[in-house]
Each structure stands twice: as C-alpha cells, then as structure tokens.
Amino acid sequence: MISVRKYEKKDFDGVRFACLNSTGEEYDPIVSEFILRTYCDYYIEHEPENCFVLDDDGKAVGYIICTENYDDYKEIFDKEYLPLIKPLGEERYKWALESTILQNKYKADYPAHMHIDILPAYHRHGFGGKLLTALFDHLREKGIKGVMLTAGTENLNAGSFYKKYGFEQLEIYDTDVAFGMKLI
Ligand SMILES: CC(C)(COP(=O)(O)OP(=O)(O)OC[C@H]1O[C@@H](n2cnc3c(N)ncnc32)[C@H](O)[C@@H]1OP(=O)(O)O)[C@@H](O)C(=O)NCCC(=O)NCCS
C-alpha cells in the first residue's frame, strides 16, 4: 500500500537514495556527496519532525523535507554542512553557499523552505500533491506563515507542478525560480 507518513529514522537511506535518483540522472560519488550535503542531510538530521515520506510497503520512495525557520537552518548549515562540502571543491562550495542565500529575502512571509523528490516510477500519480498537503497541514498547525522553495529554471516539470498546486512564482533568477505558498 502506498501512503504518506511522517519521516522516521529508518527512512534515512531511502530518502538519500530518492534524493539522488528522482530524475533518472546518474551522479559520480563527489557530486552525490555534494547533493546530499547541500539539499538533503540538514533536514532529516536536524528537523525530522518537519519531513514526510511516500511509503510503499514500508519503504520510502519519495519525500518532502523542510525547515520551518530559515535563520535557524542557516546557522546550523553554515557551521556543520559547509565544512563537509568545502573539500568537494571551491565551485561546489560556492554553489552550496549560494543555495542558502536566496531564501533570506523571502523569510518574512515564507520562513519555511522545502525540497521534494519522488522516484520516477511513482511520478504523476498525485503523490507529490499528497506530500505537499501533508506538509502544509503540519506547518499550519505549527502556525508557520508560509513555505518557499527554489527550482532550477530548466526544470519545467517542477515549475508546472508547483503552479498546479497553487504556489506563486515569486521571482525568476538566472538559474533558479523562487516559488512561495502562504499558509495562514
Ligand atoms: C516534481 C515531482 C515532485 C512531482 O511529483 P508528482 O507525484 O509527479 O506530481 P503530481 O502527480 O502530484 O502532479 C503532477 C503534476 O506535476 C507536473 N509534472 C510532474 N511530472 C511531470 C512530467 N514528467 N511532465 C510534465 N509535467 C509533470 C505537472 O504539472 C503534473 O500535472 P498534470 O499531470 O495535470 O499535467 C516529481 O515529478 C519529481 O520528483 N520529479 C523529479 C525531481 C524534481 O524535479 N523535484 C523538484 C525539484 S525543485
């Protein structure tokens, strides 16, 4: 049976696998490490209570991961994760740092930000929408005003997905588009 549920410790490897395998692209070990350290590990290690998984028979096959407060995230990310990314190369380090900057501009209305990824076999069955609903309900209960994210400008499927579920397109940058959803 396929359902959405809260993240549990046993999902750690499944979530990291989905993070690296949601698009069908293959990454070498250094790029994989960079992606996990930059876009995944903080959320499941520091805010597991704000993460949900798509569960197929006990196995995580997709996820939505989130921080509820940008400033708290940024402090820990800079202290704990950037030093792990530094040895992966100067360019990657700069990219990781830049990936944490844009959210600052929107934090008054959108203090939370999120990432979502689902394994390809489960795309386009409405599961992404179900993960969004689970996260929105959870953040509303906590009194969080809004959630935002950035998607690659070239990721047209993701852009279409966020618009379909009511996100506002906040701004288009060179490589990223910022989307936001007000929750209360
Ligand atoms: C983006 C993603 C999370 C959406 O989850 P999903 O379960 O496939 O989405 P849903 O079934 O709830 O919604 C489907 C909508 O998403 C968009 N979409 C998703 N995959 C698409 C595809 N391959 N082609 C075109 N549109 C697509 C469309 O708007 C679609 O609506 P439609 O079916 O009415 O045209 C999932 O496709 C995914 O993990 N993609 C790869 C990783 C990724 O891009 N993550 C987001 C990074 S910012």
Side-chain angles (χ1 to χ4, degrees):
M1 203 187 87
I2 303 177
S3 61
V4 170
R5 61 164 170 80
K6 283 213 154 194
Y7 172 87
E8 296 171 32
K9 258 199 180 131
K10 67 171 183 182
D11 299 317
F12 185 79
D13 290 337
V15 164
R16 290 179 109 230
F17 182 83
C19 179
L20 296 175
N21 291 281
S22 65
T23 62
E25 257 186 83
E26 287 197 13
Y27 306 109
D28 69 39
I30 298 226
V31 174
S32 298
E33 171 99 6
F34 162 75
I35 291 171
L36 292 170
R37 297 298 193 196
T38 306
Y39 301 111
C40 182
D41 290 352
Y42 165 85
Y43 308 91
I44 52 178
E45 289 178 341
H46 285 276
E47 300 194 42
E49 71 281 9
N50 291 325
C51 300
F52 293 83
V53 296
L54 183 66
D55 176 305
D56 186 357
D57 224 6
K59 200 171 137 237
V61 294
Y63 62 78
I64 191 160
I65 55 181
C66 175
T67 175
E68 65 180 66
N69 182 288
Y70 171 77
D71 289 329
D72 295 344
Y73 150 82
K74 177 71 175 149
E75 194 181 327
I76 295 173
F77 187 85
D78 286 1
K79 203 159 57 188
E80 283 184 27
Y81 294 88
L82 280 180
L84 299 174
I85 295 164
K86 192 133 199 162
L88 305 177
E90 195 55 34
E91 275 307 304
R92 290 190 190 96
Y93 178 79
K94 271 206 288 191
W95 187 270
L97 186 59
E98 275 165 25
S99 80
T100 69
I101 304 288
L102 202 59
Q103 298 90 334
N104 187 47
K105 179 173 172 188
Y106 303 101
K107 69 184 180 188
D109 284 336
Y110 307 96
H113 72 257
M114 54 159 268
H115 300 281
I116 183 168
D117 285 299
I118 297 172
L119 291 177
Y122 299 85
H123 288 178
R124 235 140 172 210
H125 289 87
F127 296 133
K130 289 200 165 77
L131 285 166
L132 287 175
T133 301
L135 180 67
F136 295 167
D137 289 349
H138 171 73
L139 293 177
R140 274 194 200 100
E141 262 178 41
K142 293 183 106 174
I144 307 293
K145 277 163 79 172
V147 59
M148 59 92 53
L149 62 99
T150 57
T153 40
E154 82 295 345
N155 193 347
L156 301 180
N157 294 342
S160 149
F161 169 73
Y162 296 124
K163 285 181 196 159
K164 172 174 170 149
Y165 287 106
F167 277 83
E168 184 189 341
Q169 188 171 294
L170 301 174
E171 220 157 327
I172 304 181
Y173 297 88
D174 283 349
T175 54
D176 293 294
V177 186
F179 290 97
M181 170 68 83
K182 293 214 170 118
L183 296 169
I184 39 183

